[in-house]
Amino acid sequence: MKWEIALLILLNLTSFALFGLDKWKAIHGRWRISERTLLLSALAAGFVGALAGMYFFHHKTRHKKFVYGVPLMGLLEIAAAAGWLVGQ
């Protein structure tokens, strides 16, 4: 169980960092991280980091696919984790 927790922490820190990096790139006129990559980072069990990054960096908070999509991914991930735990 320890490696699963470490993996979740790593995925969430990565999602958080991606949102911060994309915000920095937006401010400085650099080549951006695609929305698909940002959403996939949230889908890959990094929704907490993605949500935290969205609101900490004030990034993508006006885009409906992020405002509604990331929490929905989180609910689906929580449901999947609960189903996995019940099956253990």
Side-chain angles (χ1 to χ4, degrees):
M1 193 74 152
K2 288 182 184 179
W3 70 269
E4 290 99 339
I5 293 170
L7 180 61
L8 281 174
I9 291 170
L10 179 64
L11 291 169
N12 281 286
L13 287 173
T14 301
S15 289
F16 183 82
L18 283 173
F19 275 83
L21 179 60
D22 191 51
K23 178 68 175 195
W24 182 88
K25 287 180 171 207
I27 291 169
H28 292 91
R30 301 288 173 98
W31 193 266
R32 304 281 302 278
I33 297 169
S34 71
E35 288 186 349
R36 179 180 177 185
T37 299
L38 294 172
L39 288 169
L40 284 174
S41 76
L43 185 61
F47 78 94
V48 173
L51 269 178
M54 281 174 57
Y55 290 101
F56 183 82
F57 298 111
H58 304 283
H59 192 52
K60 300 291 186 188
T61 55
R62 291 183 173 184
H63 294 83
K64 289 182 182 179
K65 68 174 129 182
F66 284 89
V67 172
Y68 297 114
V70 173
L72 180 60
M73 287 179 209
L75 290 174
L76 293 173
E77 288 175 20
I78 290 169
W84 179 75
L85 287 173
V86 169
Q88 290 289 319

